[in-house]
Amino acid sequence: MVLFRCCLVVFFAQLVAGYFFDFSRWWGWIPLGLAVVLPIVLNRRPASPGTPPAVEVDPPVTGRWSALNSPADKVPSHGTRVYGQAYAIDITAEPEGRARPGFGWWPVVRRNRDFPAFGAPLLAVADATVVRAVDRNRDHLSRNSFPALLYLLVEGMFREMGGPGQVVGNHVVIDLGEGTYAMYAHLQRGSLAVREGDRVRAGQLLARCGNSGNSTEPHVHFQLMDNPDLDVAHGVPFSWRGVGVPGNGEVFSVDEPAMP
């Protein structure tokens, strides 16, 4: 993925330089071609030998939610294995009495507070240690329309050049032990309730759902992986206690944890 980002940077650098210097722009198609081929090769690679069975953890949210891009329907769930996403899942809030704005032509963008997931608390799925906690990225307007989706595709290329941190936006990674890490992505800016090095208990507040990074609307991106470094991580299957792995479009509910 580092080579992939370098290829994109070289392509755009040559594209810009071609307007100021006299040289053949055909050379720029070489790094662009590599940038296209590399993800295909990475996505076709088999899963790492000895892939463990699903790791059972608590759900990262409470309330009523629906699943998108679920590994229950296909693997890799997001169409790619890079950044440890092979078994990742997206979920968005679907509370009773409040409809989530649909995808369409208009309005082109919406404010984040129009979506019920925005600001929802995200909880530790197990006793763990925080190894990464970032919340400096802004929460942008939604991209849940056809015109905005086209913009997102172009925006995504530039985010890729910035590295995985620009793709996942604000995020938390916690070490569950035994070589398994959980990541929560697209967090709300300024919502972190923990810092790197903190020891957390299952059910403890980590942050809140936002719309940072490469995201169409406020939602939770959750995944387990075998390394906290997204450039080298492989995905690990998960199962949520009492829920399992919800399929695409499946609505599920999680009760509030009982107070001690």
Side-chain angles (χ1 to χ4, degrees):
M1 289 309 297
V2 173
L3 179 58
F4 167 75
R5 292 196 292 272
C6 288
C7 289
L8 284 181
V9 170
V10 171
F11 168 72
F12 283 107
Q14 290 190 354
L15 189 66
V16 173
Y19 288 96
F20 300 97
F21 302 99
D22 185 18
F23 65 89
S24 175
R25 297 181 189 175
W26 288 105
W27 289 104
W29 293 106
I30 296 176
L32 180 61
L34 287 173
V36 171
V37 171
L38 279 171
I40 295 174
V41 173
L42 290 172
N43 291 339
R44 292 177 67 89
R45 65 182 177 179
S48 56
T51 300
V55 176
E56 188 178 53
V57 294
D58 292 339
V61 295
T62 59
R64 189 172 184 266
W65 296 73
S66 65
L68 304 167
N69 300 318
S70 171
D73 292 272
K74 68 172 184 176
V75 176
S77 58
H78 285 58
T80 178
R81 294 184 183 274
V82 301
Y83 304 146
Q85 296 183 91
Y87 303 95
I89 191 170
D90 293 331
I91 57 174
T92 185
E94 303 277 4
E96 295 284 1
R98 184 182 175 189
R100 176 171 64 93
F103 187 93
W105 287 99
W106 189 263
V108 175
V109 297
R110 293 179 184 269
R111 299 167 299 180
N112 289 314
R113 62 175 177 266
D114 292 339
F115 296 85
F118 190 69
L122 306 182
L123 312 176
V125 295
D127 295 348
T129 301
V130 179
V131 295
R132 191 158 299 161
V134 177
D135 76 343
R136 61 178 175 269
N137 297 286
R138 69 182 181 89
D139 293 286
H140 55 72
L141 296 172
S142 76
R143 309 285 192 253
N144 69 327
S145 70
F146 290 107
L149 185 60
L150 291 176
Y151 175 80
L152 179 69
L153 295 176
V154 177
E155 180 185 41
M157 293 182 63
F158 288 93
R159 288 190 182 279
E160 287 284 1
M161 288 190 287
Q166 290 299 310
V167 176
V168 300
N170 300 323
H171 60 286
V172 167
V173 178
I174 58 176
D175 182 358
L176 308 184
E178 300 182 357
T180 303
Y181 300 81
M183 185 186 73
Y184 307 66
H186 312 308
L187 309 180
Q188 182 181 3
R189 186 178 188 177
S191 71
L192 283 177
V194 295
R195 296 181 296 178
E196 293 179 7
D198 285 355
R199 183 69 184 170
V200 298
R201 304 288 294 179
Q204 181 176 334
L205 177 67
L206 299 179
R208 294 185 179 275
C209 176
N211 195 35
S212 57
N214 201 47
S215 171
T216 56
E217 66 178 81
H219 72 283
V220 182
H221 174 104
F222 176 84
Q223 66 186 53
L224 297 186
M225 52 194 182
D226 64 1
N227 195 300
D229 184 347
L230 295 175
D231 271 326
V232 299
H234 291 84
V236 173
F238 74 89
S239 178
W240 289 331
R241 290 187 182 91
V243 175
V245 183
N248 288 339
E250 181 179 343
V251 176
F252 63 95
S253 296
V254 181
D255 295 332
E256 294 280 349
M259 296 299 292

